[in-house]
Amino acid sequence: QSVLTQPPSVSAAPGQKVTISCSGSSSNIGNNYVSWYQQLPGTAPKLLIYENNKRPSGIPDRFSGSKSGTSATLGITGLQTGDEADYYCGTWDNSLSALVFGTGTKVTVL
Amino acid sequence: EVQLVQSGAEVKKPGESLKISCKGSGYSFTSYWIAWVRQMPGKGLEYMGIIYPGDSDVRYSPSFQGQVTISAGKSLSTAYLQWSSLKASDTAMYFCVRQNYFGTSYIEYWGQGTLVTVSS
C-alpha cells in the first residue's frame, strides 16, 4: 500500500524538462526528508536525491529535488532517452514506523 | 565498496517454505540496519521490515507482520527473509537494502534483487 501519491506518467521531448510530484501527509513528508529513486527496467532502484535536495556522488545536476509542506517534487532537465524509467519518492512515516514509497511515475521521452 | 549480494531466483509451490539471503560486504555488517523491500510484478515498492544485525532487533511493517520472518547471521554477514508457507501472492522481486539508522528517510545501497515465483 502506497501512502505517497505520484502521477502515473509524465512525458516530454528530448532536451525538455519534466517534474514529478509526490504528495503525502504530516506523518511522512511533512516531518521527514524526502528521497527519490530511478528504476530502469529489470534493475534495482537507484538513489537520485536524498534529504529533499541532495544528490549522491555521480548523479548529474539535471536531477533536482524540492519539498514544501506535505509535498515534494523531482525535476529532470535536459531530458535524455536514458532517463526513461520509473521514478519513486520515499520518506519515513512516523505513524507506521516504516519507510514509505510513492506510487511511482513512468517517464517517457517522446 | 559496499555490496549487498542476494541469493538466486526461486520457483516454489504454494504451501512450501523458503529462506532467501542477502550478504553484505565492504562495511561493518553489524553497524547498519538491513531492510527488505517487495516489488510485485508491475507494481511499486513496499517496505517489509528491518533488522539491526548487531543485536537482531527486528521491526516489521504492519502489512507484513506475521507474514514473513527477518533474521540475520552476524558471523556470515548475511540477512535472511523467510516464509513458512508460501502463497501465489508472494510472487515478487525482493530487494535487501542497507539503511544508516532506524528512521532514515533514504536507501543508498540496494541488493540486485531475488525473484520469487510461487506457482502450482
Side-chain angles (χ1 to χ4, degrees):
Chain A
Q1 77 297 354
S2 297
V3 300
L4 306 179
T5 302
Q6 298 179 229
S9 64
V10 297
S11 61
Q16 297 300 301
K17 175 182 179 178
V18 294
T19 59
I20 301 171
S21 60
C22 175
S23 178
S25 69
S26 58
S27 68
N28 42 68
I29 292 178
N31 284 283
N32 292 291
Y33 289 121
V34 176
S35 53
W36 289 91
Y37 306 86
Q38 176 193 62
Q39 188 176 31
L40 298 169
T43 69
K46 175 183 174 183
L47 180 65
L48 286 179
I49 298 288
Y50 68 102
E51 293 182 356
N52 300 338
N53 55 18
K54 297 178 182 177
R55 288 186 308 277
S57 174
I59 301 300
D61 59 8
R62 299 187 301 106
F63 295 92
S64 64
S66 64
K67 173 188 144 177
S68 177
T70 58
S71 295
T73 301
L74 174 71
I76 310 174
T77 59
L79 205 59
Q80 303 174 359
T81 54
D83 296 333
E84 283 203 332
D86 293 322
Y87 292 81
Y88 295 92
C89 58
T91 187
W92 189 257
D93 190 291
N94 297 331
S95 297
L96 297 174
S97 290
L99 203 149
V100 292
F101 295 99
T103 48
T105 299
K106 183 174 183 61
V107 170
T108 301
V109 182
L110 300 172
Chain B
E1 177 195 8
V2 174
Q3 283 194 308
L4 298 172
V5 178
Q6 298 183 228
S7 49
E10 302 274 1
V11 179
K12 292 289 190 178
K13 290 181 166 40
E16 292 186 332
S17 62
L18 176 65
K19 190 174 190 178
I20 62 175
S21 66
C22 167
K23 183 174 177 60
S25 63
Y27 72 99
S28 174
F29 184 73
T30 55
S31 299
Y32 293 85
W33 295 76
I34 292 284
W36 289 91
V37 175
R38 182 176 79 174
Q39 187 169 38
M40 299 176 74
K43 301 299 184 183
L45 306 169
E46 299 174 275
Y47 189 82
M48 302 176 71
I50 189 170
I51 185 168
Y52 187 71
D55 61 6
S56 292
D57 182 7
V58 182
R59 320 282 180 93
Y60 295 95
S61 292
S63 297
F64 293 93
Q65 180 79 46
Q67 307 305 308
V68 296
T69 301
I70 294 172
S71 61
K74 285 192 288 189
S75 61
L76 294 177
S77 297
T78 300
Y80 304 95
L81 177 66
Q82 67 180 91
W83 296 259
S84 59
S85 181
L86 287 160
K87 304 185 283 285
S89 57
D90 293 317
T91 294
M93 181 71 81
Y94 294 88
F95 296 101
C96 67
V97 301
R98 194 191 88 166
Q99 291 191 245
N100 290 345
Y101 57 89
F102 182 75
T104 188
S105 62
Y106 68 94
I107 298 169
E108 186 173 9
Y109 298 103
W110 296 70
Q112 83 276 20
T114 295
L115 180 62
V116 174
T117 303
V118 184
S119 174
S120 55

